[in-house]
């Protein structure tokens, strides 16, 4: 009888219509640090390896990875062709690139509005022998032809380019930028793919989404994240893949979810040096899905019962130690909570200037007795960044600049969130914590707005912080009334209340300088 039941069950299962195959995701990952004929980079390979690890954790397969000298155009083109051939309608291919980008006069006359082609520069390209080595660049029109191949099969493409093509910055950054010089030397006639790709218009690539590290008018710098040179876009994208962008925990990342997460975290990790750029600029629909990751909800931040708000993990689980690596030029004062690995902050005893690991001036005229307060401020900033990377909030500063000068006026705004409480404060470059607004459950809630704020001394790096939370904030607000509240004490208050809470955190860096500096 048991055998008969099993046989009938098997026959009934065979008679059922086949379930639709689940769409799959594959990936092509390229990272280049070593350029024999160009200034080499420091963080592009780390970016590629980080993205690959996050893809593997999300069960993405196959993944084709090309690092440094492995990144030849023929190898990358062949891998792309294999992924397209193996994919079926509705599948997704993720293509990420971390390395140098550059520009040159357009190869196909009239194909570019600005008369310039952008290209990804591979290790084998030598601008001194541009005509001979031109096969080791991937021109934007060629990428369009590649994407059109996938489009023709109904395959979704997400291209993430952590490189740059043009632009300049006002802030002094000690790290490298992923910008190679303009190529003006004569190149061979465009390839067949470049010719065909020049005819492809963006509107024809209806299933292709491109995420660039910055606007064409901006550089893409390598910044220090976790003590190491990295690309802020690649770092943020890897965290998104781990599930941090999947706010509703459904295992799928929508265009809106990816955009909200990446914009917030690139600004945060680059200290407001970059604004990412999506193509198309707006989502095609409110429910447009750019990635389906079966394991994203498992490897990321777990959703709460509400399904939309997330319980924050302790930053110590993500590598935050509560210490700050610091290099001192001159006599070392007696300081607490310093040490650790990675690129350090720096303080010059003679001038009193305090520098970030990126080389930015974070504070001026810092006397030895004030140094501990500045150290504690950046320990707190790192703590808040670790929380914000899990659940980013929103705050905007207008006009948008990488640096503001004395006399500039600006507006700050934070939207009203769906949380019971909101706390808005400034961490000044002097190390002081200044309460700007507090909204407590039961009181009237509102969007926070600070209008016509003028930039005045002291100059350096301020950090505006907006915490929207369901955790109680009464005691924190009361502590701000105490003039003795410093960054170290505020850290203790926040650490005990925010870990495990449903919260979002937004941090807006604000770098200022005197006129003529």
């Amino acid at each position: 009888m048991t055998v008969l039941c099993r046989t009938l069950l098997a026959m009934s299962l065979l008679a059922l219509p086949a379930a639709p195959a689940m769409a799959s995701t594959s990936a092509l990952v390229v990272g280049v640090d070593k350029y024999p004929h160009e200034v080499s980079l420091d963080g592009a390979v780390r970016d590629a390896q980080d993205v690959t690890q996050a893809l593997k954790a999300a069960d993405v397969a196959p993944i084709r990875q090309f690092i440094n000298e492995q990144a030849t155009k023929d190898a990358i083109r062949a891998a792309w062709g294999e992924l397209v051939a193996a994919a079926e309608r509705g599948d997704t291919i993720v293509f990420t690139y971390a390395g140098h980008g550059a520009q040159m006069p357009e190869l196909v006359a009239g194909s570019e509005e600005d008369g310039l082609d952008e290209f990804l520069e591979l290790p084998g390209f030598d601008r001194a022998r541009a005509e001979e080595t031109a096969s080791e660049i991937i021109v934007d029109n060629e990428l369009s032809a590649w994407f059109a191949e996938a489009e023709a099969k109904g395959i979704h493409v997400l291209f993430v380019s952590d490189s740059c093509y043009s632009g300049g910055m006002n802030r002094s950054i000690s790290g490298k930028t992923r910008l190679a010089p303009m190529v003006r030397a004569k190149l061979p006639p465009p390839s067949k793919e470049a010719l065909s790709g020049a005819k492809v218009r963006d509107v024809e690539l209806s299933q292709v989404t491109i995420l660039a590290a910055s606007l064409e008018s901006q550089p893409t710098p390598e910044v220090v994240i976790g003590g190491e040179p990295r690309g802020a876009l690649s770092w943020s994208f890897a965290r998104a893949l781990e599930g941090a962008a999947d706010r509703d925990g459904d295992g799928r990342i929508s265009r809106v979810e990816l955009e909200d997460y990446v914009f917030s975290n690139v600004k945060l990790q680059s200290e407001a040096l970059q604004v990412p750029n999506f193509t198309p600029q707006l989502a095609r629909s409110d429910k447009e899905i750019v990635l389906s990751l079966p394991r994203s909800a498992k490897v990321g931040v777990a959703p709460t019962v509400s399904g939309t708000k997330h319980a924050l993990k302790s930053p110590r689980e993500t590598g935050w130690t509560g210490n700050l690596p610091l290099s001192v030029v001159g006599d070392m004062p007696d300081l607490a909570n310093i040490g650790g690995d990675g690129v350090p902050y720096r303080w010059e005893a003679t001038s009193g200037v305090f520098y970030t690991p990126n080389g930015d001036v974070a504070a001026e005229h810092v006397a030895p007795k004030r140094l501990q307060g500045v150290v504690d401020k950046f320990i707190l900033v790192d703590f808040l960044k670790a929380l914000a990377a899990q659940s980013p909030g929103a705050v905007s500063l207008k006009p948008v600049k990488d640096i503001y000068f004395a006399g500039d006026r600006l507006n700050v705004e934070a939207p009203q969130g769906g949380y019971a409480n909101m706390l808005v404060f400034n961490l000044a470059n002097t190390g002081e914590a200044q309460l700007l607004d507090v909204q407590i459950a039961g009181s009237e809630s509102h969007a926070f707005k600070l209008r016509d704020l003028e930039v005045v001394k002291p100059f350096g790096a301020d950090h505006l912080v907006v915490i929207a939370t369901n955790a109680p904030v009464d005691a924190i607000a009361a502590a701000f009334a105490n003039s003795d509240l410093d960054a170290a004490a505020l850290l203790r208050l926040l650490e005990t209340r925010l870990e495990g809470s449903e919260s979002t955190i937004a941090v807006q860096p604000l770098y200022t300088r005197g006129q003529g500096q």
Side-chain angles (χ1 to χ4, degrees):
M1 186 69 171
T2 304
V3 174
L4 177 60
C5 289
R6 287 178 179 171
T7 303
L8 290 173
L9 177 60
M11 292 175 64
S12 66
L13 290 174
L14 289 172
L16 292 174
M22 182 178 293
S24 65
T25 302
S26 57
L28 173 58
V29 180
V30 180
V32 181
D33 278 341
K34 296 179 181 178
Y35 285 90
H37 313 292
E38 203 69 78
V39 174
S40 289
L41 298 172
D42 297 321
V45 169
R46 288 191 188 95
D47 289 344
Q49 292 170 338
D50 189 16
V51 168
T52 295
Q53 184 176 350
L55 287 165
K56 288 180 178 178
D59 281 348
V60 171
I63 302 171
R64 299 295 305 277
Q65 176 182 272
F66 298 92
I67 299 296
N68 288 330
E69 65 276 0
Q70 299 171 346
T72 66
K73 185 175 182 179
D74 284 347
I76 295 169
R77 180 65 183 92
W80 173 263
E82 291 167 5
L83 294 178
V84 172
E88 299 180 357
R89 179 173 294 275
D91 289 349
T92 299
I93 300 176
V94 178
F95 180 7
T96 73
Y97 172 82
H100 274 310
Q103 290 180 313
M104 64 182 174
E106 61 183 2
L107 292 174
V108 180
S111 63
E112 302 287 346
E113 290 184 7
D114 59 0
L116 297 172
D117 272 324
E118 284 78 41
F119 64 88
L120 310 181
E121 183 170 329
L122 302 176
F125 180 68
D126 181 359
R127 66 191 58 249
R129 298 182 300 116
E131 192 168 1
E132 301 169 51
T133 61
S135 60
E136 290 307 310
I137 63 175
I138 304 175
V139 184
D140 51 6
N141 287 335
E142 292 175 319
L143 286 173
S144 294
W146 297 12
F147 299 157
E149 288 180 6
E151 180 83 19
K153 288 190 64 176
I155 300 167
H156 301 283
V157 174
L158 176 59
F159 177 50
V160 181
S161 179
D162 203 342
S163 61
C164 64
Y165 303 116
S166 63
M169 66 177 81
N170 289 315
R171 282 166 41 193
S172 299
I173 300 298
S174 58
K176 298 172 180 177
T177 60
R178 295 180 177 180
L179 172 65
M182 168 81 75
V183 171
R184 303 185 185 279
K186 180 182 177 181
L187 292 176
S191 65
K192 290 181 180 180
E193 286 188 334
L195 289 170
S196 65
K199 300 175 184 177
V200 177
R201 297 292 172 258
D202 289 344
V203 293
E204 299 175 41
L205 300 176
S206 62
Q207 300 187 85
V208 177
T209 300
I210 299 173
L211 177 54
S214 57
L215 304 172
E216 283 192 22
S217 60
Q218 294 178 313
T220 299
E222 291 196 329
V223 296
V224 176
I225 303 175
E228 297 178 329
R230 291 293 306 271
L233 176 63
S234 294
W235 186 92
S236 300
F237 184 61
R239 307 290 79 75
L241 289 170
E242 290 173 343
D246 183 16
R247 295 191 66 83
D248 57 8
D250 67 351
R252 302 186 302 170
I253 299 176
S254 72
R255 161 67 189 264
V256 172
E257 286 177 323
L258 183 62
E259 189 175 84
D260 287 348
Y261 183 80
V262 166
F263 269 89
S264 296
N265 277 281
V266 167
K267 177 177 72 173
L268 184 66
Q269 299 301 332
S270 71
E271 286 289 294
L273 273 173
Q274 291 173 246
V275 178
N277 189 31
F278 272 87
T279 303
Q281 190 172 20
L282 299 176
R284 297 177 177 97
S285 73
D286 292 342
K287 297 182 179 180
E288 178 187 359
I289 302 299
V290 292
L291 279 173
S292 294
L293 301 171
R295 293 190 60 204
S296 68
K298 298 177 184 177
V299 299
V301 180
T304 62
V305 175
S306 66
T308 57
K309 296 182 176 67
H310 295 77
L312 297 175
K313 295 186 295 186
S314 167
R316 295 186 187 277
E317 295 180 39
T318 62
W320 178 79
T321 63
N323 292 320
L324 196 78
L326 178 67
S327 169
V328 171
V329 180
D331 294 334
M332 170 69 84
D334 185 18
L335 297 172
N337 303 322
I338 60 170
D341 299 325
V343 181
Y345 289 77
R346 189 173 90 253
W347 176 68
E348 295 182 351
T350 302
S351 65
V353 177
F354 189 91
Y355 295 92
T356 71
N358 293 327
D360 260 320
V361 174
E364 301 176 336
H365 312 299
V366 179
K369 63 180 181 181
R370 285 183 44 225
L371 182 57
Q372 184 69 62
V374 178
V375 167
D376 291 340
K377 175 251 174 101
F378 280 99
I379 291 174
L380 175 54
V381 167
D382 286 345
F383 169 83
L384 292 167
K385 283 184 175 182
L387 294 178
Q390 300 176 49
S391 184
V395 60
S396 64
L397 193 62
K398 295 182 179 179
V400 177
K401 298 181 180 180
D402 55 24
I403 195 163
Y404 298 84
F405 291 93
D408 284 352
R409 294 184 177 275
L410 46 91
N411 299 320
V412 184
E413 186 169 340
Q416 179 182 345
Y419 293 81
N421 309 305
M422 186 166 78
L423 196 66
V424 185
F425 57 91
N426 180 50
L427 295 175
N429 59 72
T430 56
E432 298 170 336
Q434 305 156 340
L435 182 65
L436 301 177
D437 191 20
V438 61
Q439 299 173 34
I440 297 175
S443 63
E444 182 181 356
S445 61
H446 55 272
F448 170 75
K449 296 181 180 180
L450 188 60
R451 301 297 189 198
D452 206 30
L453 181 68
E454 183 179 0
V455 175
V456 297
K457 292 182 178 180
F459 304 118
D462 283 30
H463 289 77
L464 300 169
V465 180
V466 178
I467 299 174
T469 181
N470 287 331
V473 297
D474 307 64
I476 303 173
F480 272 101
N482 184 346
S483 59
D484 294 331
L485 180 69
D486 56 21
L490 180 56
L491 171 61
R492 290 192 294 271
L493 286 169
L494 294 176
E495 190 171 10
T496 56
R497 287 164 174 81
L498 293 184
E499 291 180 5
S501 72
E502 292 182 347
S503 307
T504 66
I505 290 86
V507 182
Q508 172 65 58
L510 172 60
Y511 282 78
T512 62
R513 190 178 298 168
Q515 292 288 356
Q517 285 188 297

